[in-house]
Amino acid sequence: MDNSRNSTRAWLRNHFFRVWTAGAILIGYVYGWLYAPEMLIWWKRTTTSMIEAGCGLLPYPWNDRIEATLGNFGLWVQITLAIIAFRIVVWVLLWMLRGGWRVRRGRSMP
């Protein structure tokens, strides 16, 4: 029973983190639309250039096909990349905070 409780707690924590980070990015997009449209323009140009650079590394017939496909899903790709980047930043910050907390409490880091 205890193992089931721990797995349920881990599942809830995992999905809370996913929903929280996705919600934060969507709120950021709404904020960008209202108050900082230049940030959205910068993000669009950055993701488009990343897609073009990544597809440019592929051989001929596939680079154009994948670039066109990703270009058609432009907004969703931008939101997904923003969520992934935000999750990585939050994960690193939380990892550093946990490591600092363990050092202060006298435990060694794993």
Side-chain angles (χ1 to χ4, degrees):
M1 186 66 152
D2 191 41
N3 189 22
S4 174
R5 186 176 295 150
N6 287 338
S7 65
T8 302
R9 189 176 299 152
W11 182 83
L12 285 172
R13 193 171 48 233
N14 184 8
H15 284 286
F16 175 76
F17 180 73
R18 289 180 178 186
V19 169
W20 176 79
T21 54
I25 292 300
L26 293 176
I27 289 170
Y29 261 89
V30 171
Y31 179 83
W33 275 95
L34 297 175
Y35 300 110
E38 63 277 356
M39 292 301 291
L40 294 178
I41 293 169
W42 171 81
W43 183 251
K44 180 184 182 329
R45 290 182 180 159
T46 302
T47 55
T48 302
S49 64
M50 285 173 32
I51 290 170
E52 289 173 355
C55 291
L57 300 173
L58 299 172
Y60 163 64
W62 294 104
N63 60 0
D64 292 336
R65 293 175 186 172
I66 293 175
E67 185 178 341
T69 302
L70 290 176
N72 290 335
F73 296 115
L75 180 63
W76 299 112
V77 171
Q78 293 169 24
I79 291 173
T80 303
L81 289 174
I83 290 171
I84 291 170
F86 184 64
R87 284 180 182 169
I88 290 171
V89 168
V90 169
W91 179 78
V92 168
L93 289 174
L94 290 175
W95 178 75
M96 288 171 42
L97 286 173
R98 274 192 222 131
W101 181 257
R102 286 183 183 146
V103 169
R104 271 191 274 155
R105 294 197 58 181
R107 288 187 239 156
S108 64
M109 291 184 56

